[in-house]
Amino acid sequence: MAANVQDAIMLLGDSLTQGGYDLNGFVAKLAHVYNRKMDVINRGFSGYNTDWILPVFEQCFATQHEQQHVPKIRLLVIWFGANDAAPPPKPQHVPLDRFRANLRKLIWMVRAPESPHYSPETRIILMTPPPVNTAQRERAQLAKSPPKELDREFETTRRYAEAVKEVGKAESVPVVDLWENLYEAAGREEEKLEDFLTDGLHLNEKGYAIVFEGLEKAIKDAYPEYHYDNLQSVFIYFDLIAENPDKYMELTKKRSAFAHS
Amino acid sequence: MAANVQDAIMLLGDSLTQGGYDLNGFVAKLAHVYNRKMDVINRGFSGYNTDWILPVFEQCFATQHEQQHVPKIRLLVIWFGANDAAPPPKPQHVPLDRFRANLRKLIWMVRAPESPHYSPETRIILMTPPPVNTAQRERAQLAKSPPKELDREFETTRRYAEAVKEVGKAESVPVVDLWENLYEAAGREEEKLEDFLTDGLHLNEKGYAIVFEGLEKAIKDAYPEYHYDNLQSVFIYFDLIAENPDKYMELTKKRSAFAHS
């Protein structure tokens, strides 16, 4: 049983989050740069949309009553849209208005004092879904056994990315605009997104590098006090023990990662 | 604040564990294959030896009283020796007898009913330190500014690896013999360890791949019920929701990863 020694970053999302420990992905990188400062909790659920995530998030994010016992979530990253944007009648499809409302509800759950999950020390970041490469996606779908139809549209996913930005603006939540960052990296040519995607929808190592870069910058800009460079390790670095090995019992006492708190 | 939805694997070790999210390391791989089944908690502390880790572990591993509230540690991986084997008068040096005693104390803390940290559902795995490539290590130390002396010995680290195996035998704890696995992969030639090490002491991506392989096999052999292939996801896979989207509230209820518990 893990005692509660480190605060945490929770990543809430779909397969793009779930897969983020693979391929030197953004979750692995984040966990690495925050090592000994904050833990990273991957709550990525492949295939989920924002309708289905609401009851899951209620179970994953502690209630006020539970919060005293469990790791404090300092940062919550919310990354959806890739599945909500599946065109109807795909069961993953969530209409744009409800997509916006669902994102606002996730934010409300953490920020509203009347919410059972109210957590005033949790900062939030939204991320937009990556652009889709429909030609690459179609090839990947046709190569499946049995072959499947193209299941995403370039322009539709773009609108869901816009919706994330609208919610961010309305709720004063910083947004990492991955749609824009990736499309720009591809020279604003849909076909060139192949450099960053494995199957037209999911990210490869280069794509994940852009996710990490954008998220790191958003933390630095919006919540610099939570950036890893501004935290100290919960347990002291060994060279300070090595200078005073007789005092190791005293020196190995847990500290707050936040030097001034 | 994270509610307690998944049990966890805790990795207790030194820099080799701390660095395991980097370079497609074994921690990232473990977190990836266990995604949605168990969380991975990295408690790697660069430079620490088993003397210094004892008070840290007491703070990281919940007491019986705390255990009802926090994620259950199903698997504890203990990986030390690389720093304990530093030759005296290096302050990291821990004599062999005390190294063995410290490892046994860590095991006792989790397994003894009279221990405040007693946790009967936690399974334990020990790992041996990797072999040192002293020529490579010496070059890396000399390249530092200011240059440093060689700080490890091939034969000494081998004896610490043997000590880990002795403790495993005495305590009936499975051991991943990384010293052997890596030395064998290098054709039993110290110089050829360069293929698996960055600086004669720490692992590169190929070295970490051997760590993951050995650990995965140990879980499969010793604790098959905790192997990821034998666990179910805590939240159901999306395709089952997509078949019955009207029932999503019911279908998204948290389950135990252990289908039969």
Side-chain angles (χ1 to χ4, degrees):
Chain A
M1 327 284 158
N4 182 5
V5 295
Q6 289 186 191
D7 295 343
I9 297 170
M10 183 182 281
L11 307 170
L12 185 73
D14 50 34
S15 55
L16 295 162
T17 299
Q18 181 179 318
Y21 280 122
D22 201 15
L23 303 171
N24 274 317
F26 83 109
V27 185
K29 279 188 180 153
L30 202 67
H32 184 60
V33 294
Y34 274 97
N35 75 51
R36 299 179 59 180
K37 295 173 177 175
M38 291 215 263
D39 288 322
V40 170
I41 298 176
N42 188 337
R43 292 291 175 265
F45 299 90
S46 171
Y48 276 57
N49 60 28
T50 54
D51 280 348
W52 304 340
I53 213 64
L54 281 166
V56 169
F57 186 58
E58 281 182 5
Q59 297 168 79
C60 288
F61 199 88
T63 59
Q64 289 191 59
H65 177 72
E66 295 164 329
Q67 287 175 15
Q68 57 183 311
H69 300 296
V70 294
K72 194 176 285 188
I73 304 297
R74 294 281 187 166
L75 189 65
L76 173 67
V77 179
I78 300 174
W79 188 15
F80 287 99
N83 298 319
D84 298 72
K90 292 275 293 179
Q92 290 166 300
H93 172 73
V94 174
L96 257 182
D97 280 352
R98 203 162 76 222
F99 175 63
R100 281 191 209 92
N102 286 345
L103 289 178
R104 295 183 82 155
K105 188 156 185 198
L106 290 169
I107 296 167
W108 178 90
M109 282 169 63
V110 173
R111 288 209 309 204
E114 64 272 32
S115 159
H117 300 269
Y118 176 51
S119 172
E121 285 168 295
T122 302
R123 304 288 171 265
I124 304 178
I125 290 176
L126 288 165
M127 306 211 291
T128 63
V132 174
N133 180 343
T134 49
Q136 185 186 8
R137 182 66 185 164
E138 189 159 39
R139 290 193 297 276
Q141 289 288 89
L142 282 173
K144 286 179 182 170
S145 176
K148 293 191 175 179
E149 288 186 342
L150 177 63
D151 57 351
R152 293 296 185 281
E153 296 160 352
F154 181 85
E155 180 56 20
T156 306
T157 295
R158 193 193 64 74
R159 283 202 299 268
Y160 281 72
E162 287 300 314
V164 173
K165 291 197 280 181
E166 288 155 25
V167 170
K169 198 168 178 188
E171 298 283 349
S172 300
V173 169
V175 177
V176 184
D177 192 357
L178 296 173
W179 197 97
E180 173 64 24
N181 296 355
L182 284 154
Y183 197 50
E184 184 65 27
R188 309 196 85 78
E189 286 185 47
E190 186 183 333
E191 273 286 358
K192 287 202 178 152
L193 286 165
E194 191 155 9
D195 281 353
F196 305 98
L197 302 170
T198 58
D199 60 358
L201 179 63
H202 296 95
L203 298 162
N204 66 15
E205 185 164 347
K206 272 178 79 176
Y208 271 133
I210 289 177
V211 177
F212 176 75
E213 193 182 289
L215 180 55
E216 194 266 338
K217 186 176 181 310
I219 297 171
K220 195 175 225 163
D221 292 347
Y223 310 122
E225 71 281 16
Y226 286 7
H227 188 273
Y228 52 89
D229 277 342
N230 298 324
L231 301 176
Q232 65 178 4
S233 64
V234 169
F235 293 97
I236 203 169
Y237 290 134
F238 88 97
D239 47 336
L240 298 174
I241 306 177
E243 285 172 11
N244 274 296
D246 293 343
K247 292 195 178 161
Y248 79 90
M249 286 298 292
E250 195 183 321
L251 290 169
T252 50
K253 284 205 168 55
K254 179 196 165 185
R255 316 176 294 185
S256 166
F258 298 83
H260 303 294
S261 63
Chain B
M1 328 284 158
N4 182 3
V5 295
Q6 289 186 191
D7 296 343
I9 297 170
M10 183 182 281
L11 307 171
L12 185 71
D14 50 34
S15 55
L16 295 162
T17 299
Q18 182 179 318
Y21 280 121
D22 201 14
L23 304 169
N24 273 317
F26 83 109
V27 184
K29 279 188 179 153
L30 202 67
H32 184 60
V33 295
Y34 274 97
N35 76 51
R36 300 179 57 180
K37 294 173 177 176
M38 291 215 263
D39 288 322
V40 170
I41 298 175
N42 188 338
R43 292 291 174 265
F45 299 90
S46 171
Y48 276 58
N49 60 28
T50 55
D51 279 347
W52 305 339
I53 213 65
L54 280 166
V56 169
F57 186 58
E58 281 183 6
Q59 296 168 80
C60 289
F61 199 88
T63 59
Q64 289 192 59
H65 178 74
E66 295 164 330
Q67 287 175 14
Q68 56 183 311
H69 301 295
V70 295
K72 195 177 284 187
I73 304 296
R74 294 281 187 167
L75 189 65
L76 172 68
V77 179
I78 300 174
W79 188 15
F80 287 99
N83 297 319
D84 298 70
K90 294 274 294 178
Q92 289 166 301
H93 173 73
V94 173
L96 256 181
D97 280 352
R98 203 162 75 222
F99 175 63
R100 282 192 208 90
N102 286 344
L103 290 178
R104 295 183 82 155
K105 188 156 185 198
L106 290 169
I107 296 166
W108 178 90
M109 282 170 63
V110 173
R111 288 209 309 202
E114 64 272 32
S115 159
H117 300 269
Y118 176 52
S119 172
E121 285 169 295
T122 303
R123 304 287 171 263
I124 304 178
I125 289 177
L126 288 165
M127 305 212 290
T128 63
V132 174
N133 180 344
T134 48
Q136 186 186 8
R137 182 67 184 163
E138 189 159 38
R139 290 192 296 276
Q141 288 289 88
L142 282 172
K144 286 179 182 170
S145 176
K148 293 190 175 180
E149 287 186 342
L150 177 63
D151 57 350
R152 294 294 186 282
E153 296 161 350
F154 180 85
E155 180 57 20
T156 306
T157 296
R158 194 193 62 75
R159 284 202 298 269
Y160 282 73
E162 287 299 314
V164 173
K165 291 196 280 180
E166 288 155 25
V167 170
K169 198 167 178 190
E171 298 283 348
S172 301
V173 169
V175 177
V176 184
D177 192 356
L178 296 174
W179 197 96
E180 174 64 23
N181 296 357
L182 284 154
Y183 197 50
E184 184 65 27
R188 310 196 85 78
E189 286 186 46
E190 186 183 332
E191 273 286 358
K192 288 201 178 152
L193 286 165
E194 192 155 8
D195 282 353
F196 305 98
L197 302 170
T198 57
D199 60 358
L201 179 62
H202 296 96
L203 297 162
N204 66 15
E205 185 163 348
K206 272 178 78 177
Y208 270 133
I210 289 177
V211 177
F212 176 75
E213 193 183 289
L215 179 56
E216 193 267 337
K217 185 176 182 312
I219 297 170
K220 196 176 223 162
D221 291 348
Y223 311 121
E225 71 280 16
Y226 286 7
H227 189 273
Y228 52 88
D229 278 342
N230 297 325
L231 301 177
Q232 65 179 2
S233 64
V234 168
F235 294 97
I236 203 169
Y237 290 135
F238 88 97
D239 47 336
L240 298 174
I241 306 177
E243 285 172 12
N244 274 295
D246 293 344
K247 293 195 178 162
Y248 79 91
M249 285 298 292
E250 195 183 320
L251 290 169
T252 51
K253 283 206 168 55
K254 178 195 166 188
R255 316 174 296 184
S256 166
F258 297 83
H260 304 293
S261 62

